[in-house]
Amino acid sequence: MNKQKDKISTAVIRRLPRYLRALEDLENAGTERISSGELSDLIGYTASQIRQDLNHFGGFGQQGYGYNVGDLKTEIERILGMGRTYNMVIVGAGRLGQAINSFIASYKSDFKVVALFDINENVIGKVYSGVTVLDADSLEEYLKNNKVDIGVLTVTKEQAQTACNHLVAGGVAGIWNFAPIDLEGTEGTPVENVHLSDNLHSLVYYINHPEQN
Amino acid sequence: MNKQKDKISTAVIRRLPRYLRALEDLENAGTERISSGELSDLIGYTASQIRQDLNHFGGFGQQGYGYNVGDLKTEIERILGMGRTYNMVIVGAGRLGQAINSFIASYKSDFKVVALFDINENVIGKVYSGVTVLDADSLEEYLKNNKVDIGVLTVTKEQAQTACNHLVAGGVAGIWNFAPIDLEGTEGTPVENVHLSDNLHSLVYYINHPEQN
């Protein structure tokens, strides 16, 4: 278990997945060492920012030698908590739920969708990417009998809070929420909200401010 | 046209959509005024951060009176470039493409998907949320004859670069990319990359570091 003495800022934590992606690409390309300057060119953060971020987790970099790609990747994976399997259920087997299910199926084996849930009788019983859609009414019972780490909410705004309550009561460790709503009653259960509209609005800003590109 | 003298940092621009969402919710709830402290409780940024961010665009806040919700919302919309229609095409009419299409159809009228494109003959000609799937081979021709502001990439990693080249050559103003790839040849065309895996990794971090919640 990785014990940091100081609380790491949210901003740094948010950047870790970006580092991980870059390091995975570098490893796949056969690159063994990389300097903070080269990482900067790749990711777009400044070299000093990168050195500062990575120093939070102990100094892996060696002056003049750069970072060992494999070691740094392993270390970031360890910090994030990779290297074990996270069982996921997806509540809402519509287009978005299916898309997320399909994404996870083709992504790292650390993540595994064990069941989809929906209230629509036409969808219950269907199998997507090898995962069966179960009746949403059986979600509570399912969570009692199966270890689920992450609950994914791809239901409507109106259904999200109820589904969230079931997930929290059922003891999931975290919630990945795609519904455009601030969930309540999740104290002690981390929630990661995805707001697609935020990205779209940022894009529109840059379209209208070409001098900022 | 909004002309800022100073370049606004990416971090501030990234926060504007979050402000906009909060202000939309407040307006819908009938709230007319809000202080930076109340906004802080709602959004989670510090009050001083909020005051600093909003000062970039001229001081809308009045000491002791707070912000006028409607005015601030209008101003942020203006800065972002809302208030006109953005025509979008989605390249890749699979689950994710359909999900994005369905999301946009139910979102603000400022955004409009005018066509979906796919290479799959079983999908070409289908209509999703009122939008027809066209043959991906006709994308270039379509862009010549129709004004498209935003191209959305929901194709595979392998197909993304080619589709991106067509979008750029066709003169789209911006690209919203869901493919896990760093697109090339997009100089002058803003690209907004969505990396769902980043959110998932952040969630995993918080699951493993309950002291950080």
Side-chain angles (χ1 to χ4, degrees):
Chain A
M1 205 55 199
N2 185 55
K3 283 262 177 196
Q4 276 94 34
K5 278 185 203 122
D6 304 313
K7 194 173 155 116
I8 301 159
S9 80
T10 307
V12 178
I13 294 161
R14 293 278 146 203
R15 287 193 286 269
L16 288 180
R18 181 65 193 94
Y19 287 119
L20 182 57
R21 267 195 289 123
L23 293 164
E24 285 165 351
D25 288 347
L26 287 164
E27 196 173 61
N28 288 337
T31 308
E32 291 182 6
R33 294 207 148 265
I34 189 155
S35 68
S36 50
E38 289 164 326
L39 258 179
S40 169
D41 290 342
L42 213 58
I43 304 186
Y45 310 154
T46 66
S48 109
Q49 166 99 82
I50 289 171
R51 284 192 299 269
Q52 204 181 316
D53 281 354
L54 301 180
N55 275 341
H56 275 98
F57 308 106
F60 322 107
Q62 243 184 305
Q63 189 69 37
Y65 288 86
Y67 300 96
N68 178 302
V69 169
D71 290 352
L72 186 52
K73 175 173 156 276
T74 304
E75 183 61 15
I76 292 181
E77 283 175 339
R78 194 180 67 79
I79 293 164
L80 288 171
M82 303 305 294
R84 48 163 284 215
T85 302
Y86 291 91
N87 286 337
M88 307 169 75
V89 295
I90 298 177
V91 187
R95 290 173 180 123
L96 185 58
Q98 292 174 39
I100 301 298
N101 181 48
S102 153
F103 163 68
I104 296 294
S106 67
Y107 193 56
K108 301 174 183 172
S109 56
D110 308 66
F111 299 101
K112 184 175 164 56
V113 178
V114 291
L116 290 151
F117 289 89
D118 208 287
I119 52 170
N120 183 343
E121 282 182 17
N122 297 322
V123 176
I124 295 168
K126 286 207 174 175
V127 179
Y128 297 112
S129 307
V131 185
T132 306
V133 182
L134 305 177
D135 189 333
D137 284 343
S138 69
L139 176 59
E140 259 188 288
E141 192 64 22
Y142 185 93
L143 293 171
K144 263 184 213 157
N145 301 321
N146 298 274
K147 189 179 174 313
V148 175
D149 301 288
I150 297 173
V152 186
L153 289 175
T154 47
V155 291
T156 64
K157 195 171 177 168
E158 289 70 29
Q159 301 162 327
Q161 185 62 57
T162 306
C164 172
N165 295 346
H166 286 311
L167 291 172
V168 171
V172 301
I175 292 174
W176 198 17
N177 175 40
F178 288 79
I181 176 181
D182 284 322
L183 297 169
E184 293 175 6
T186 57
E187 296 76 18
T189 307
V191 177
E192 188 71 22
N193 296 298
V194 179
H195 292 284
L196 293 175
S197 63
D198 285 5
N199 285 94
L200 187 54
H201 281 125
S202 295
L203 180 59
V204 163
Y205 176 89
Y206 285 111
I207 287 175
N208 287 287
H209 298 78
E211 79 284 0
Q212 294 267 100
N213 291 327
Chain B
M1 206 52 201
N2 186 56
K3 282 264 177 195
Q4 276 94 33
K5 278 184 204 119
D6 304 313
K7 193 172 154 117
I8 300 159
S9 79
T10 307
V12 178
I13 294 160
R14 294 277 146 205
R15 287 193 286 270
L16 287 180
R18 180 68 193 91
Y19 287 120
L20 183 57
R21 267 195 288 123
L23 293 164
E24 285 165 352
D25 288 347
L26 287 166
E27 196 173 62
N28 288 337
T31 309
E32 290 182 8
R33 295 208 148 266
I34 189 153
S35 67
S36 51
E38 290 164 325
L39 257 180
S40 169
D41 291 343
L42 212 59
I43 304 187
Y45 309 155
T46 65
S48 108
Q49 166 98 83
I50 290 171
R51 284 191 299 269
Q52 204 181 316
D53 281 354
L54 301 180
N55 275 341
H56 274 99
F57 308 106
F60 323 107
Q62 242 184 306
Q63 189 70 39
Y65 289 86
Y67 300 96
N68 178 300
V69 169
D71 289 352
L72 186 52
K73 175 173 157 275
T74 304
E75 183 61 15
I76 292 181
E77 284 175 338
R78 193 180 68 79
I79 293 165
L80 288 171
M82 303 304 293
R84 47 162 286 212
T85 302
Y86 291 90
N87 286 337
M88 307 168 76
V89 296
I90 299 178
V91 187
R95 291 172 181 127
L96 185 58
Q98 290 175 39
I100 301 298
N101 182 47
S102 153
F103 163 69
I104 296 295
S106 67
Y107 194 55
K108 302 174 183 170
S109 55
D110 308 66
F111 299 100
K112 184 176 166 52
V113 178
V114 290
L116 291 151
F117 289 88
D118 208 288
I119 52 169
N120 183 344
E121 283 181 17
N122 297 322
V123 177
I124 295 167
K126 287 206 174 175
V127 178
Y128 297 112
S129 307
V131 185
T132 307
V133 182
L134 305 177
D135 189 331
D137 283 343
S138 69
L139 176 59
E140 257 188 291
E141 192 64 23
Y142 185 92
L143 293 170
K144 264 184 213 158
N145 301 320
N146 298 275
K147 191 182 173 311
V148 175
D149 302 287
I150 297 173
V152 186
L153 289 176
T154 48
V155 291
T156 63
K157 195 172 177 168
E158 289 69 30
Q159 301 162 327
Q161 186 61 56
T162 305
C164 171
N165 296 346
H166 287 312
L167 291 172
V168 171
V172 300
I175 292 173
W176 198 15
N177 175 39
F178 288 80
I181 176 181
D182 285 321
L183 297 169
E184 293 174 6
T186 58
E187 296 75 18
T189 306
V191 177
E192 188 70 23
N193 295 299
V194 179
H195 292 285
L196 293 175
S197 63
D198 285 5
N199 285 94
L200 187 55
H201 281 125
S202 295
L203 179 60
V204 162
Y205 176 89
Y206 285 112
I207 286 175
N208 287 288
H209 298 77
E211 78 284 0
Q212 295 267 97
N213 291 327

